[in-house]
Amino acid sequence: LGLETALASLAFAPDGKTVASASLGGRVRVWDVRADKEVSNTEFPIPGAIPRVRFTSNTELVAWGTNGAQPL
């Protein structure tokens, strides 16, 4: 997945074609699995890890969450 820091969370979309990863360094990446291509790469200005990443049921939205040091 081309991560610079350790993986904190990984989620497959319901369509099975997309995967999202969240890192301990505050970065969320979205990948097209079939094309083996990164389609989004966003670093969030928050301290620490993004402990959860999920897709909506229609695969159109990636949700992530953190509450300071406490996972949502």
Side-chain angles (χ1 to χ4, degrees), residues 34-68:
R34 292 183 179 175
D36 191 26
K37 182 179 179 181
E38 183 180 77
V39 295
S40 178
N41 182 338
T42 306
E43 186 171 0
F44 293 92
I46 59 171
I50 297 175
R52 301 277 190 265
V53 63
R54 300 288 183 265
F55 282 91
T56 57
S57 60
N58 63 4
T59 310
E60 292 184 8
L61 178 67
V62 176
W64 61 272
T66 184
N67 184 15

Side-chain angles (χ1 to χ4, degrees), residues 12-45:
F12 279 89
D15 68 4
K17 301 175 186 175
T18 312
V19 65
S21 65
S23 75
L24 294 178
R27 184 177 299 276
V28 174
R29 290 179 168 177
V30 180
W31 303 85
D32 179 327
V33 176
R34 292 183 179 175
D36 191 26
K37 182 179 179 181
E38 183 180 77
V39 295
S40 178
N41 182 338
T42 306
E43 186 171 0
F44 293 92

